[in-house]
Coordinates of all heavy atoms in Angstrom, one line a residue:
S200 N -51.7 90.8 10.2 CA -52.7 90.9 9.2 C -52.2 90.0 8.0 O -51.0 89.8 7.8 CB -52.8 92.3 8.7 OG -51.7 92.7 7.9
E201 N -53.1 89.4 7.3 CA -52.8 88.5 6.3 C -52.6 89.2 5.0 O -53.3 90.1 4.6 CB -54.0 87.5 6.1 CG -53.8 86.4 5.1 CD -55.0 85.5 5.0 OE1 -55.5 85.1 6.1 OE2 -55.4 85.2 3.9
V202 N -51.6 88.8 4.2 CA -51.3 89.3 2.9 C -51.9 88.4 1.8 O -51.6 87.2 1.8 CB -49.8 89.5 2.7 CG1 -49.5 90.0 1.3 CG2 -49.2 90.3 3.7
R203 N -52.7 89.0 1.0 CA -53.3 88.2 -0.1 C -52.4 88.0 -1.2 O -51.6 88.9 -1.6 CB -54.6 88.9 -0.6 CG -55.7 89.0 0.5 CD -56.9 89.7 0.0 NE -57.1 89.6 -1.5 CZ -57.8 90.5 -2.2 NH1 -58.3 91.5 -1.6 NH2 -57.9 90.3 -3.5
A204 N -52.4 86.8 -1.8 CA -51.5 86.5 -2.9 C -51.9 87.3 -4.2 O -51.0 87.6 -5.0 CB -51.6 85.0 -3.2
D205 N -53.1 87.8 -4.2 CA -53.6 88.5 -5.4 C -53.5 90.0 -5.2 O -54.0 90.8 -5.9 CB -54.9 88.1 -5.9 CG -56.0 88.3 -4.8 OD1 -55.7 88.5 -3.6 OD2 -57.2 88.3 -5.2
A206 N -52.8 90.4 -4.1 CA -52.7 91.9 -3.8 C -51.9 92.5 -4.9 O -51.0 91.9 -5.4 CB -52.0 92.1 -2.4
P207 N -52.2 93.8 -5.1 CA -51.4 94.5 -6.2 C -49.9 94.6 -5.8 O -49.5 94.6 -4.6 CB -52.0 95.9 -6.1 CG -53.2 95.9 -5.4 CD -53.1 94.7 -4.5
V208 N -49.0 94.5 -6.8 CA -47.6 94.6 -6.6 C -47.0 95.8 -7.3 O -47.6 96.2 -8.3 CB -46.9 93.3 -7.1 CG1 -47.3 92.1 -6.2 CG2 -47.2 93.0 -8.5
S209 N -45.9 96.3 -6.9 CA -45.3 97.4 -7.5 C -44.7 97.1 -8.8 O -44.3 95.9 -9.1 CB -44.3 98.0 -6.5 OG -43.1 97.2 -6.5
E210 N -44.5 98.1 -9.6 CA -43.8 97.9 -10.9 C -42.4 97.5 -10.7 O -41.9 96.7 -11.5 CB -43.8 99.3 -11.7 CG -45.2 99.6 -12.2 CD -45.2 100.9 -13.0 OE1 -44.1 101.3 -13.5 OE2 -46.2 101.5 -13.2
E211 N -41.8 97.9 -9.6 CA -40.4 97.4 -9.3 C -40.3 95.9 -9.1 O -39.4 95.3 -9.6 CB -39.9 98.2 -8.1 CG -38.5 97.8 -7.7 CD -38.0 98.5 -6.5 OE1 -38.7 99.4 -5.9 OE2 -36.8 98.3 -6.1
I212 N -41.3 95.4 -8.4 CA -41.3 93.9 -8.2 C -41.5 93.2 -9.5 O -40.8 92.2 -9.7 CB -42.4 93.6 -7.1 CG1 -41.9 94.1 -5.7 CG2 -42.7 92.1 -7.1 CD1 -43.0 94.0 -4.7
V213 N -42.4 93.7 -10.3 CA -42.7 93.0 -11.6 C -41.5 93.1 -12.5 O -41.1 92.1 -13.1 CB -43.9 93.7 -12.3 CG1 -44.1 93.2 -13.7 CG2 -45.2 93.4 -11.4
A214 N -40.8 94.3 -12.5 CA -39.6 94.4 -13.3 C -38.5 93.5 -12.8 O -37.8 92.9 -13.6 CB -39.1 95.9 -13.2
L215 N -38.3 93.4 -11.5 CA -37.3 92.5 -11.0 C -37.6 91.0 -11.3 O -36.7 90.2 -11.7 CB -37.2 92.6 -9.5 CG -35.9 92.1 -8.8 CD1 -34.7 92.7 -9.4 CD2 -36.0 92.5 -7.3
N216 N -38.9 90.6 -11.3 CA -39.3 89.3 -11.7 C -39.0 89.0 -13.2 O -38.4 88.0 -13.5 CB -40.7 89.1 -11.4 CG -41.2 87.6 -11.6 OD1 -40.7 86.7 -11.0 ND2 -42.1 87.5 -12.5
E217 N -39.3 90.0 -14.0 CA -39.0 89.9 -15.4 C -37.5 89.8 -15.7 O -37.1 89.1 -16.6 CB -39.6 91.1 -16.2 CG -41.2 91.0 -16.2 CD -41.8 92.2 -16.8 OE1 -41.1 93.2 -17.2 OE2 -43.1 92.2 -16.9
L218 N -36.7 90.6 -15.0 CA -35.3 90.5 -15.1 C -34.7 89.1 -14.8 O -33.9 88.5 -15.5 CB -34.6 91.6 -14.3 CG -33.0 91.5 -14.3 CD1 -32.5 91.8 -15.7 CD2 -32.5 92.6 -13.3
G219 N -35.2 88.6 -13.7 CA -34.8 87.2 -13.3 C -35.2 86.2 -14.3 O -34.4 85.3 -14.7
F220 N -36.4 86.3 -14.8 CA -36.9 85.4 -15.9 C -36.0 85.5 -17.1 O -35.7 84.5 -17.7 CB -38.4 85.7 -16.2 CG -39.0 84.7 -17.1 CD1 -39.4 83.5 -16.6 CD2 -39.1 85.0 -18.4 CE1 -40.0 82.5 -17.5 CE2 -39.7 84.1 -19.3 CZ -40.1 82.8 -18.8
R221 N -35.7 86.8 -17.5 CA -34.8 87.0 -18.7 C -33.5 86.3 -18.5 O -32.9 85.7 -19.4 CB -34.7 88.5 -19.0 CG -34.0 88.7 -20.3 CD -34.1 90.2 -20.7 NE -33.8 91.2 -19.7 CZ -34.8 92.0 -19.2 NH1 -36.0 91.9 -19.7 NH2 -34.5 92.9 -18.3
K222 N -32.9 86.5 -17.3 CA -31.6 85.9 -17.0 C -31.7 84.3 -17.2 O -30.8 83.7 -17.8 CB -31.1 86.2 -15.6 CG -30.8 87.7 -15.4 CD -29.6 88.1 -16.3 CE -29.2 89.5 -16.0 NZ -28.1 90.0 -16.9
V223 N -32.7 83.8 -16.7 CA -32.9 82.3 -16.7 C -33.1 81.9 -18.2 O -32.4 80.9 -18.6 CB -34.1 81.8 -15.9 CG1 -34.4 80.4 -16.1 CG2 -33.7 82.0 -14.4
T224 N -33.9 82.6 -19.0 CA -34.1 82.2 -20.4 C -32.8 82.4 -21.2 O -32.7 81.7 -22.2 CB -35.2 83.0 -21.0 OG1 -35.0 84.4 -21.0 CG2 -36.6 82.6 -20.3
E225 N -31.9 83.2 -20.8 CA -30.6 83.4 -21.4 C -29.6 82.3 -21.0 O -28.5 82.3 -21.5 CB -30.0 84.8 -21.1 CG -30.8 85.9 -21.7 CD -30.4 87.3 -21.2 OE1 -29.6 87.4 -20.3 OE2 -30.9 88.3 -21.7
G226 N -30.0 81.5 -20.0 CA -29.1 80.5 -19.5 C -28.2 80.9 -18.4 O -27.4 80.1 -17.9
N227 N -28.5 82.1 -17.9 CA -27.7 82.6 -16.7 C -28.5 82.3 -15.4 O -29.1 83.1 -14.8 CB -27.4 84.1 -16.9 CG -26.4 84.6 -15.9 OD1 -26.1 83.9 -14.9 ND2 -25.8 85.7 -16.2
Y228 N -28.4 81.0 -15.1 CA -29.3 80.5 -14.0 C -28.8 81.1 -12.6 O -29.7 81.4 -11.8 CB -29.2 79.0 -13.9 CG -29.6 78.3 -15.2 CD1 -28.7 77.6 -16.0 CD2 -30.9 78.5 -15.7 CE1 -29.1 77.0 -17.2 CE2 -31.3 78.0 -17.0 CZ -30.4 77.2 -17.7 OH -30.7 76.7 -18.9
R229 N -27.5 81.2 -12.4 CA -27.0 81.7 -11.2 C -27.6 83.1 -10.9 O -28.1 83.4 -9.8 CB -25.5 81.8 -11.2 CG -24.9 82.2 -9.8 CD -23.4 82.3 -9.9 NE -22.9 83.1 -10.9 CZ -22.8 84.5 -10.9 NH1 -23.3 85.1 -9.9 NH2 -22.4 85.2 -11.9
E230 N -27.5 84.0 -11.9 CA -28.0 85.4 -11.7 C -29.5 85.3 -11.5 O -30.1 86.1 -10.7 CB -27.6 86.3 -12.9 CG -26.3 86.9 -12.7 CD -26.0 87.9 -13.8 OE1 -26.8 88.9 -13.8 OE2 -25.1 87.8 -14.6
G231 N -30.2 84.5 -12.3 CA -31.6 84.4 -12.1 C -32.0 84.0 -10.7 O -32.9 84.6 -10.1
V232 N -31.4 83.0 -10.2 CA -31.6 82.5 -8.9 C -31.4 83.6 -7.8 O -32.2 83.8 -6.9 CB -30.8 81.2 -8.5 CG1 -30.8 80.9 -7.1 CG2 -31.3 80.0 -9.4
E233 N -30.3 84.3 -8.0 CA -30.0 85.4 -7.0 C -31.1 86.5 -7.1 O -31.5 87.0 -6.0 CB -28.6 86.0 -7.4 CG -27.5 85.1 -7.1 CD -26.1 85.7 -7.5 OE1 -26.1 86.8 -8.0 OE2 -25.1 85.0 -7.4
I234 N -31.5 86.8 -8.3 CA -32.6 87.8 -8.4 C -33.9 87.3 -7.7 O -34.5 88.1 -7.0 CB -32.8 88.2 -9.9 CG1 -31.6 88.9 -10.4 CG2 -34.1 89.0 -10.1 CD1 -31.5 89.1 -11.9
F235 N -34.3 86.1 -8.0 CA -35.5 85.6 -7.4 C -35.4 85.5 -5.9 O -36.4 85.8 -5.2 CB -35.9 84.3 -8.0 CG -36.3 84.4 -9.5 CD1 -35.8 83.5 -10.4 CD2 -37.2 85.3 -9.9 CE1 -36.1 83.6 -11.7 CE2 -37.6 85.4 -11.2 CZ -37.1 84.5 -12.1
R236 N -34.3 85.1 -5.4 CA -34.1 85.1 -3.9 C -34.2 86.5 -3.3 O -34.8 86.7 -2.3 CB -32.8 84.4 -3.5 CG -32.8 82.9 -3.7 CD -31.6 82.2 -3.3 NE -31.8 80.8 -3.3 CZ -30.8 79.9 -3.5 NH1 -29.6 80.3 -3.6 NH2 -31.1 78.6 -3.5
R237 N -33.6 87.5 -4.0 CA -33.7 88.9 -3.5 C -35.1 89.3 -3.6 O -35.6 90.0 -2.6 CB -32.8 89.7 -4.3 CG -32.7 91.2 -3.9 CD -31.6 92.0 -4.6 NE -31.2 91.3 -5.8 CZ -30.9 92.0 -6.9 NH1 -31.0 93.2 -7.0 NH2 -30.5 91.3 -8.0
L238 N -35.8 89.0 -4.6 CA -37.2 89.4 -4.8 C -38.1 88.8 -3.7 O -38.9 89.5 -3.1 CB -37.7 89.0 -6.2 CG -39.1 89.3 -6.5 CD1 -39.5 90.7 -6.3 CD2 -39.4 88.8 -7.9
I239 N -37.8 87.5 -3.4 CA -38.6 86.9 -2.3 C -38.3 87.5 -0.9 O -39.2 87.6 -0.1 CB -38.3 85.4 -2.3 CG1 -39.0 84.7 -3.5 CG2 -38.8 84.7 -1.0 CD1 -38.5 83.3 -3.8
S240 N -37.1 88.0 -0.7 CA -36.8 88.6 0.5 C -37.5 89.9 0.7 O -37.9 90.3 1.9 CB -35.3 88.8 0.7 OG -34.8 89.9 -0.1
V241 N -37.8 90.6 -0.4 CA -38.5 91.9 -0.3 C -40.0 91.8 -0.5 O -40.8 92.7 -0.1 CB -37.9 93.0 -1.2 CG1 -36.5 93.3 -0.8 CG2 -38.0 92.6 -2.6
A242 N -40.4 90.7 -1.2 CA -41.8 90.5 -1.5 C -42.2 89.1 -1.3 O -42.5 88.4 -2.3 CB -42.2 91.0 -2.9
P243 N -42.2 88.5 -0.1 CA -42.5 87.1 0.1 C -43.9 86.7 -0.3 O -44.1 85.5 -0.6 CB -42.2 86.9 1.6 CG -42.4 88.3 2.2 CD -41.9 89.2 1.1
Q244 N -44.8 87.6 -0.4 CA -46.2 87.3 -0.8 C -46.3 87.2 -2.3 O -47.4 86.9 -2.8 CB -47.1 88.4 -0.3 CG -47.1 89.7 -1.0 CD -45.9 90.6 -0.8 OE1 -45.0 90.3 -0.1 NE2 -46.0 91.8 -1.5
Y245 N -45.3 87.4 -3.1 CA -45.4 87.4 -4.6 C -45.2 86.0 -5.1 O -44.0 85.5 -5.2 CB -44.4 88.4 -5.1 CG -44.5 88.7 -6.6 CD1 -45.7 89.2 -7.1 CD2 -43.4 88.4 -7.5 CE1 -45.8 89.5 -8.5 CE2 -43.5 88.7 -8.8 CZ -44.7 89.2 -9.3 OH -44.8 89.5 -10.7
P246 N -46.2 85.3 -5.4 CA -46.1 83.8 -5.7 C -45.3 83.6 -7.0 O -44.6 82.5 -7.0 CB -47.5 83.4 -5.9 CG -48.3 84.6 -6.2 CD -47.6 85.7 -5.5
Q247 N -45.3 84.5 -7.9 CA -44.5 84.2 -9.1 C -43.0 84.1 -8.9 O -42.3 83.3 -9.5 CB -44.8 85.3 -10.2 CG -46.1 85.3 -10.8 CD -47.1 86.1 -10.0 OE1 -46.9 86.4 -8.8 NE2 -48.2 86.5 -10.6
A248 N -42.5 84.8 -7.9 CA -41.1 84.8 -7.5 C -40.7 83.4 -7.0 O -39.7 82.8 -7.3 CB -40.7 85.9 -6.5
H249 N -41.6 82.8 -6.2 CA -41.4 81.5 -5.6 C -41.4 80.5 -6.7 O -40.5 79.6 -6.8 CB -42.4 81.2 -4.5 CG -42.3 82.0 -3.3 ND1 -41.5 81.7 -2.3 CD2 -43.0 83.2 -3.0 CE1 -41.7 82.7 -1.3 NE2 -42.5 83.6 -1.8
F250 N -42.4 80.6 -7.6 CA -42.5 79.6 -8.7 C -41.3 79.7 -9.6 O -40.7 78.7 -10.0 CB -43.8 79.9 -9.5 CG -44.0 79.0 -10.7 CD1 -44.5 77.8 -10.5 CD2 -43.7 79.5 -12.0 CE1 -44.7 76.9 -11.6 CE2 -43.8 78.7 -13.1 CZ -44.3 77.4 -12.9
N251 N -40.9 81.0 -10.0 CA -39.8 81.1 -10.9 C -38.5 80.7 -10.3 O -37.6 80.2 -11.0 CB -39.7 82.6 -11.4 CG -40.8 82.9 -12.4 OD1 -41.4 82.0 -13.0 ND2 -41.2 84.2 -12.5
L252 N -38.3 80.9 -8.9 CA -37.1 80.4 -8.3 C -37.0 78.9 -8.4 O -35.9 78.3 -8.7 CB -37.1 80.8 -6.8 CG -35.9 80.3 -6.0 CD1 -34.6 80.7 -6.5 CD2 -36.1 80.6 -4.5
G253 N -38.1 78.2 -8.2 CA -38.1 76.7 -8.3 C -37.8 76.3 -9.7 O -37.0 75.4 -9.9
I254 N -38.3 77.0 -10.7 CA -38.0 76.7 -12.1 C -36.5 76.9 -12.4 O -35.8 76.1 -13.0 CB -38.8 77.5 -13.1 CG1 -40.3 77.2 -12.9 CG2 -38.3 77.4 -14.5 CD1 -40.7 75.7 -13.3
A255 N -36.0 78.1 -11.9 CA -34.6 78.4 -12.2 C -33.6 77.4 -11.5 O -32.6 77.0 -12.1 CB -34.3 79.8 -11.6
L256 N -34.0 77.0 -10.3 CA -33.1 76.0 -9.6 C -33.2 74.7 -10.3 O -32.1 74.0 -10.5 CB -33.6 75.8 -8.1 CG -33.3 77.0 -7.2 CD1 -34.1 76.8 -5.9 CD2 -31.8 77.1 -7.0
G257 N -34.3 74.3 -10.8 CA -34.4 73.0 -11.5 C -33.7 73.0 -12.8 O -32.9 72.1 -13.2
L258 N -33.8 74.1 -13.6 CA -33.0 74.3 -14.8 C -31.5 74.3 -14.6 O -30.7 73.7 -15.4 CB -33.5 75.5 -15.6 CG -34.9 75.4 -16.2 CD1 -35.3 76.7 -16.8 CD2 -35.0 74.3 -17.3
R259 N -31.1 75.0 -13.5 CA -29.7 75.1 -13.2 C -29.1 73.7 -12.9 O -28.1 73.3 -13.4 CB -29.5 76.0 -12.0 CG -28.0 76.2 -11.7 CD -27.8 77.1 -10.5 NE -28.2 76.5 -9.3 CZ -28.1 77.1 -8.1 NH1 -27.5 78.3 -8.0 NH2 -28.5 76.5 -7.0
H260 N -29.9 72.9 -12.1 CA -29.5 71.5 -11.8 C -29.5 70.7 -13.1 O -28.5 69.9 -13.3 CB -30.5 70.9 -10.8 CG -30.2 69.5 -10.4 ND1 -29.2 69.2 -9.6 CD2 -30.8 68.4 -10.7 CE1 -29.1 67.9 -9.4 NE2 -30.1 67.4 -10.1
L261 N -30.4 70.8 -13.9 CA -30.5 70.0 -15.2 C -29.3 70.4 -16.1 O -28.6 69.5 -16.6 CB -31.8 70.3 -15.9 CG -32.0 69.5 -17.2 CD1 -32.0 68.0 -17.0 CD2 -33.3 70.0 -17.8
D262 N -29.0 71.7 -16.1 CA -27.9 72.2 -16.9 C -26.5 71.6 -16.4 O -25.7 71.2 -17.2 CB -27.8 73.7 -17.0 CG -26.8 74.2 -18.0 OD1 -26.9 73.9 -19.1 OD2 -25.9 75.0 -17.5
K263 N -26.4 71.6 -15.1 CA -25.1 71.0 -14.5 C -25.0 69.5 -14.8 O -24.0 69.0 -15.1 CB -25.1 71.3 -13.0 CG -24.8 72.7 -12.6 CD -24.7 72.8 -11.1 CE -24.4 74.2 -10.7 NZ -24.3 74.4 -9.2
A264 N -26.2 68.8 -14.7 CA -26.2 67.4 -14.9 C -25.8 67.1 -16.4 O -25.0 66.2 -16.7 CB -27.5 66.8 -14.6
R265 N -26.3 67.9 -17.3 CA -26.0 67.7 -18.7 C -24.5 68.0 -19.0 O -23.9 67.3 -19.9 CB -26.9 68.6 -19.6 CG -28.3 68.1 -19.7 CD -29.1 69.0 -20.6 NE -30.4 68.5 -20.7 CZ -31.4 69.2 -21.2 NH1 -31.3 70.5 -21.5 NH2 -32.6 68.7 -21.3
S266 N -24.0 69.0 -18.4 CA -22.6 69.4 -18.6 C -21.6 68.4 -18.0 O -20.4 68.4 -18.4 CB -22.3 70.8 -18.1 OG -22.4 70.8 -16.7
N267 N -22.0 67.5 -17.1 CA -21.2 66.6 -16.5 C -21.2 65.2 -17.2 O -20.5 64.3 -16.7 CB -21.6 66.3 -15.0 CG -21.2 67.5 -14.1 OD1 -20.3 68.2 -14.4 ND2 -22.0 67.7 -13.0
R268 N -21.8 65.1 -18.3 CA -21.8 63.9 -19.1 C -20.5 63.6 -19.8 O -19.8 64.4 -20.2 CB -23.0 63.9 -20.1 CG -24.3 63.8 -19.5 CD -25.3 63.7 -20.6 NE -26.6 63.7 -20.1 CZ -27.7 63.6 -20.8 NH1 -27.6 63.5 -22.1 NH2 -28.9 63.6 -20.3

């Protein structure tokens, strides 16, 4: 059966996504990436987790590049 991207999600999934986002905005990219990867493993149909993982990975890469100057 097909899982719709707009299907309702649990409060736990939303809370985990918000925690990952908070970690990334605090500059803790490693923890944020770990949280988003864990979230994707339990809720692969949740598009925000995939998007936020991409953002977190990009910001982590940019932060590392800036610190190597």
Side-chain angles (χ1 to χ4, degrees):
S200 74
E201 184 177 315
V202 178
R203 293 180 29 206
D205 62 344
V208 294
S209 73
E210 289 181 20
E211 181 180 356
I212 289 172
V213 172
L215 199 54
N216 187 61
E217 289 174 357
L218 176 61
F220 187 79
R221 186 168 44 250
K222 293 293 182 182
V223 169
T224 59
E225 292 170 353
N227 193 339
Y228 306 115
R229 184 183 54 78
E230 276 191 56
V232 166
E233 289 174 6
I234 290 168
F235 292 130
R236 285 186 172 151
R237 185 170 15 139
L238 179 54
I239 289 168
S240 74
V241 297
Q244 77 285 0
Y245 190 58
Q247 289 89 340
H249 295 271
F250 178 80
N251 288 338
L252 175 60
I254 296 296
L256 288 168
L258 289 172
R259 184 177 71 174
H260 180 72
L261 181 61
D262 189 57
K263 282 182 182 181
R265 285 182 177 161
S266 67
N267 287 333
R268 286 186 185 180

